[in-house]
């Protein structure tokens, strides 16, 4: 039971099969490139995030030092407030940098804990209470940034 094909059908088959093969290869090629592109974008986001977090951690460490100096009456409240503004600016920069990125969802999961620790450290500092408690709260805030 052999099927006889006319010339038009044979030419159609001879043209269609290679075209389907080429289209399949193109789809596979673009899919692989898109996967690599998505991975590269994620890597770029992570690098930008880690750079911004590093800057915030640096400013937090400076505020921690200024707080101890303030509690020891070595610097003025204005100096401490200037450093607190620098930390707040870096926090906003970090929030803005993660706003429309996939890493932003991870960032917003720990900000409440970070904010609480920072708020507690600042309250202890302003009241000139226990310096070691202030340091402990600053360290907790910094660890939140490092570990997340």
């Amino acid at each position: 039971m052999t099927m006889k094909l006319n010339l038009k059908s044979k030419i159609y088959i001879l043209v269609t099969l290679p075209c389907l093969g080429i289209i399949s290869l193109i789809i596979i090629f673009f899919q692989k490139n898109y996967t690599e592109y998505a991975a590269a974008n994620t890597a770029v986001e992570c690098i930008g995030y880690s750079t911004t977090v590093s800057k915030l951690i640096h400013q937090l460490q400076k505020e921690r030092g200024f707080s101890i100096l303030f509690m020891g009456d070595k610097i003025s409240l204005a100096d401490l407030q200037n450093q607190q503004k620098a930390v707040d600016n870096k926090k906003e920069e970090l929030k803005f940098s993660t706003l429309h990125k996939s890493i932003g969802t991870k960032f917003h999961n720990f900000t409440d804990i970070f904010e609480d620790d920072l708020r507690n450290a600042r309250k202890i500092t302003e009241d000139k209470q226990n310096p070691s408690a202030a340091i402990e709260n600053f360290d907790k805030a910094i660890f939140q940034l490092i570990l997340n």
Side-chain angles (χ1 to χ4, degrees):
M1 207 175 185
T2 58
M3 187 184 287
K4 291 193 175 191
L5 299 173
N6 62 18
L7 184 61
K8 183 178 179 183
S9 298
K10 289 179 183 178
I11 292 174
Y12 179 74
I13 290 172
L14 287 174
V15 171
T16 304
L17 289 178
C19 287
L20 289 175
I22 290 171
I23 290 171
S24 298
L25 289 175
I26 290 171
I27 289 171
I28 291 169
F29 175 76
F30 280 118
Q31 183 180 12
K32 181 182 175 193
N33 282 348
Y34 179 76
T35 303
E36 291 172 0
Y37 171 77
N41 272 348
T42 302
V44 168
E45 282 183 19
C46 289
I47 291 169
Y49 175 76
S50 66
T51 301
T52 309
V53 167
S54 293
K55 291 176 183 178
L56 175 57
I57 289 172
H58 176 70
Q59 292 302 323
L60 275 170
Q61 290 169 332
K62 285 175 67 175
E63 182 179 340
R64 179 179 58 191
F66 276 52
S67 296
I68 299 306
L69 291 173
F70 173 74
M71 286 191 266
D73 293 323
K74 304 292 183 192
I75 63 169
S76 68
L77 179 60
D79 292 334
L80 176 61
Q81 288 173 336
N82 286 337
Q83 183 55 40
Q84 288 174 340
K85 286 178 188 172
V87 169
D88 292 339
N89 289 340
K90 291 298 177 189
K91 279 190 328 188
E92 291 304 313
E93 184 180 319
L94 182 61
K95 287 178 185 177
F96 181 75
S97 72
T98 60
L99 195 57
H100 298 292
K101 296 181 178 161
S102 61
I103 204 161
T105 56
K106 296 175 186 174
F107 169 74
H108 295 292
N109 291 339
F110 74 90
T111 52
D112 292 338
I113 299 168
F114 164 76
E115 292 286 348
D116 288 342
D117 291 332
L118 183 58
R119 195 176 310 108
N120 290 338
R122 287 179 173 178
K123 175 79 171 121
I124 293 168
T125 301
E126 289 170 8
D127 295 343
K128 291 191 175 184
Q129 294 176 0
N130 184 358
S132 62
I135 290 172
E136 183 179 328
N137 279 283
F138 277 114
D139 288 344
K140 285 180 184 177
I142 290 169
F143 287 141
Q144 284 297 319
L145 293 171
I146 292 171
L147 298 177
N148 291 304

